[in-house]
Amino acid sequence: MEEFEDDDIDLKRKIDELQELFFETIYKEICLGGKVNKNDLEEAILYFANKEEYEKCIILKKKL
């Protein structure tokens, strides 16, 4: 049972890392003047708001 819990924790950590990478990539793309899908942009704003990274939220919101 403990082995499955460790696997679940590892999987959750990996998912969190991928999610962070995805939203940081969206942020960087916007900063470079690129185009991003509107839904992804909205999700990125929510993600950074939950992380209390409000400067990023403001920058992304301006591009929305």
Side-chain angles (χ1 to χ4, degrees), residues 7-34:
D7 289 345
D8 288 344
I9 291 170
D10 287 344
L11 182 60
K12 178 166 178 14
R13 183 180 49 78
K14 287 177 184 176
I15 290 171
D16 289 345
E17 289 171 355
L18 287 172
Q19 185 179 40
E20 180 180 5
L21 178 63
F22 177 72
F23 289 123
E24 287 291 341
T25 301
I26 288 173
Y27 174 74
K28 288 176 185 174
E29 185 67 24
I30 289 296
C31 289
L32 294 172

Side-chain angles (χ1 to χ4, degrees), residues 41-55:
L41 188 54
E42 290 171 346
E43 289 294 321
I45 292 168
L46 293 174
Y47 173 81
F48 289 119
N50 287 332
K51 294 259 189 202
E52 297 182 2
E53 295 186 38
Y54 300 117
E55 284 183 43

